[in-house]
Amino acid sequence: MSSEGVRFEASEEFARRMDAEDPLRHFRDEFLFPLHHGEQSIYLVGNSLGLQPRKAKPYVVEALEDWEKLGVEGHFAARHSWMPYHELLTEQTARLVGAQPLEVVVMNTLSVNLHLMMVSFYQPTRERSKILMEAGAFPSDQYAVASQVRFHGYSPERDILRLTPRSGEETLRTEDILETIERHGREIALVMLGNVNYLTGQAFDMAAITRAAHRHGCRVGFDLAHGAGNLLLSLHDTGPDFAVWCSYKYLNGGPGTLGGVFVHERHARNNALPRFEGWWGHNKQTRFQMGPDFDSIPGAEGWQLSNPPIFQMAALRASMELFDRATMPALRRKSDLLTGYLEFLLDRLPPGFVRIITPRDPKQRGAHLSLRFSKEPRKLLEKLTAQGVVCDFRSPDIIRAAPAPLYNSFLDVYRFAGVLEGHARD
Ligand SMILES: Cc1ncc(COP(=O)(O)O)c(C=O)c1O
């Protein structure tokens, strides 16, 4: 078996050789791993909460010290002044998701941003009232979508179209998504999909979906919670109207930290769009004149409501600098190999022990593999945890394992498979 022309081998020596040849191997040292009996744990939940970058603490401490010494003057006189602090993340975020700087902003959290985007991009009419989403979308997205539909006086039962896999299949077929858009396009106000499904790990063809939806006059938005920092994205060229994501998974920004928003350039100066407004979205030159009328900053920044939380942004800066140094194309290359290696080793475990439900095609997935085991998954997870392996469980019966290319090694993957092999045989 091979991935990208590499012939995988099921041996520790091979895993170590892959690590020695990995051009990104030094990034592992930039992160703090939870310890298990004094050793780094095998941390495979970067798809849930990424690890702490070493520089997160000094960056947060810098902001705390500036606050201590400067008080309110820190807005202008801090080492990184707080007034334009969020702009420190703009260029890096734009590179991360393949956008223009004008198109991105870091603010709020994912579900909040999804609501803000739907305020602007879900404008149902009697003829075009529906939202197309995955039946298996993350629950918060389902609640957000249903409540928006109700807010406009429509009915979630009638106005949410839910994509389900064919009977006997675990994941959606692109052709079925496109066919649904062809069939219902004229009734759909908004196509709102993930780009990597949280449960199955399936990645969707964002470009084909966006093209089809726009051809039918629908608006398109993506939830990139499991895609940002994982997949190679080119949001500007792909062309959805908006995208939202969180920064605590692959982006290692820390628990509950800020989300990101993309609004396509075509909407940058469209003041006819409905939106919820706040003072941080107001023209920076006149913000402090404190006038009563809102004058939007062009682009995604215009959707900001509040002045941003500096400590959270400080921690996120530490990780975004690493992404910028590593670059997404290089991370994606390594990720394909790491996850391909995990797949290769899982396929060698005793028959019937584990089934991979994530698509086998590397183009239809990111880092994570979703696994169904013949043994009771919660008990298995407990045993793995006791052995220093950190994965996660998602109801009803899935264990997810995500080698994150910024800090996981081929040896992590090899050791994980070794621990599983022990359980396959007991
Ligand atoms: C796909 C997806 N959407 C939405 C959310 C909710 O994110 P938040 O709690 O930041 O609003 C998550 C959280 O894990 C998620 O995985």
Side-chain angles (χ1 to χ4, degrees):
M1 284 282 267
S2 73
S3 177
E4 285 203 357
V6 177
R7 291 197 75 77
F8 292 141
E9 294 167 29
S11 72
E12 182 172 330
E13 191 216 331
F14 173 81
R16 287 187 186 279
R17 197 163 68 236
M18 289 297 284
D19 285 332
E21 289 168 7
D22 169 16
L24 301 180
R25 65 188 176 282
H26 301 299
F27 285 95
R28 185 177 174 96
D29 301 333
E30 304 279 356
F31 288 91
L32 298 164
F33 281 70
L35 299 181
H36 177 77
H37 300 314
E39 299 280 318
Q40 286 181 342
S41 54
I42 301 175
Y43 194 83
L44 298 173
V45 281
N47 60 319
S48 180
L49 182 70
L51 288 178
Q52 184 181 138
R54 275 185 197 282
K55 292 236 173 93
K57 197 187 279 182
Y59 283 11
V60 174
V61 167
E62 176 193 295
L64 279 165
E65 286 172 354
D66 286 345
W67 182 27
E68 179 187 330
K69 295 197 183 101
L70 300 166
V72 70
E73 294 304 323
H75 283 299
F76 304 99
R79 281 164 279 183
H80 294 94
S81 54
W82 304 331
M83 190 63 73
Y85 201 93
H86 69 277
E87 294 171 22
L88 294 172
L89 293 164
T90 304
E91 301 267 340
Q92 293 161 351
T93 303
R95 280 191 283 277
L96 182 90
V97 297
Q100 298 179 1
L102 174 84
E103 294 174 314
V104 293
V105 67
V106 173
M107 62 179 193
N108 310 317
T109 46
L110 194 161
S111 302
V112 173
N113 289 332
L114 180 56
H115 274 297
L116 292 179
M117 290 296 105
M118 285 197 283
V119 164
S120 296
F121 295 108
Y122 175 55
Q123 289 301 308
T125 61
R126 281 165 67 92
E127 301 71 39
R128 197 187 269 281
S129 57
K130 297 194 189 325
I131 299 185
L132 178 67
M133 70 185 308
E134 303 148 79
F138 191 80
S140 194
D141 291 11
Q142 305 209 38
Y143 310 150
V145 163
S147 59
Q148 288 279 337
V149 168
R150 264 189 247 108
F151 178 75
H152 285 279
Y154 291 84
S155 138
E157 288 70 38
R158 215 203 54 203
D159 292 305
I160 301 178
L161 291 176
R162 291 188 166 83
L163 293 159
T164 46
R166 292 185 189 188
S167 116
E169 298 186 8
E170 307 270 11
T171 51
L172 293 165
R173 295 192 191 192
T174 306
E175 70 219 63
D176 291 351
I177 302 175
L178 298 180
E179 199 270 329
T180 308
I181 295 172
E182 289 304 321
R183 194 148 34 93
H184 296 283
R186 279 191 309 175
E187 308 152 50
I188 296 174
L190 175 66
V191 173
M192 215 301 288
L193 300 178
N195 77 331
V196 176
N197 181 279
Y198 81 100
L199 191 62
T200 65
Q202 179 180 21
F204 298 117
D205 186 339
M206 294 172 69
I209 292 167
T210 303
R211 268 196 309 275
H214 279 166
R215 216 173 31 247
H216 288 276
C218 324
R219 289 267 161 81
V220 185
F222 287 99
D223 171 351
L224 311 178
H226 290 264
N230 179 15
L231 295 189
L232 200 52
L233 298 165
S234 44
L235 290 181
H236 177 79
D237 293 340
T238 304
D241 297 282
F242 74 86
V244 290
W245 59 92
C246 54
S247 308
Y248 41 79
K249 298 178 188 292
Y250 294 98
L251 297 184
N252 316 305
T257 195
L258 293 149
V261 168
F262 164 89
V263 178
H264 197 277
E265 186 195 18
R266 74 177 80 89
H267 302 297
R269 292 181 175 77
N270 181 357
N271 288 328
L273 277 177
R275 84 168 99 191
F276 286 169
E277 297 164 355
W279 76 315
W280 227 250
H282 185 96
N283 182 341
K284 293 174 200 175
Q285 270 70 53
T286 57
R287 185 187 284 146
F288 282 89
Q289 290 171 11
M290 303 304 203
D293 297 321
F294 182 72
D295 174 14
S296 159
I297 304 171
E301 276 189 285
W303 270 265
Q304 293 174 110
L305 298 177
S306 304
N307 76 107
I310 301 303
F311 306 140
Q312 290 190 332
M313 286 198 163
L316 180 56
R317 274 180 52 222
S319 177
M320 292 300 291
E321 286 176 4
L322 298 176
F323 273 94
D324 228 27
R325 269 169 45 204
T327 77
M328 273 317 296
L331 284 164
R332 193 61 246 141
R333 264 194 304 280
K334 176 174 171 187
S335 184
D336 265 344
L337 285 169
L338 264 184
T339 299
Y341 190 46
L342 175 59
E343 179 182 39
F344 167 79
L345 295 173
L346 292 173
D347 284 342
R348 296 172 67 88
L349 294 177
F353 174 64
V354 60
R355 195 155 58 82
I356 300 173
I357 67 162
T358 304
R360 296 287 183 156
D361 173 8
K363 290 199 187 65
Q364 285 192 64
R365 68 185 187 204
H368 108 236
L369 292 183
S370 294
L371 311 173
R372 270 214 179 96
F373 289 90
S374 55
K375 305 211 162 158
E376 218 282 293
R378 278 183 194 272
K379 286 217 180 81
L380 178 60
L381 195 72
E382 276 168 27
K383 289 181 188 167
L384 294 177
T385 309
Q387 288 171 284
V389 175
V390 194
C391 292
D392 73 2
F393 171 81
R394 282 291 172 269
S395 191
D397 59 354
I398 303 268
I399 289 180
R400 305 184 299 182
L406 203 47
Y407 50 74
N408 280 123
S409 63
F410 289 85
L411 193 58
D412 286 337
V413 169
Y414 180 77
R415 286 185 169 150
F416 171 55
V419 172
L420 284 179
E421 184 160 18
H423 293 296
R425 298 191 189 284
D426 61 33

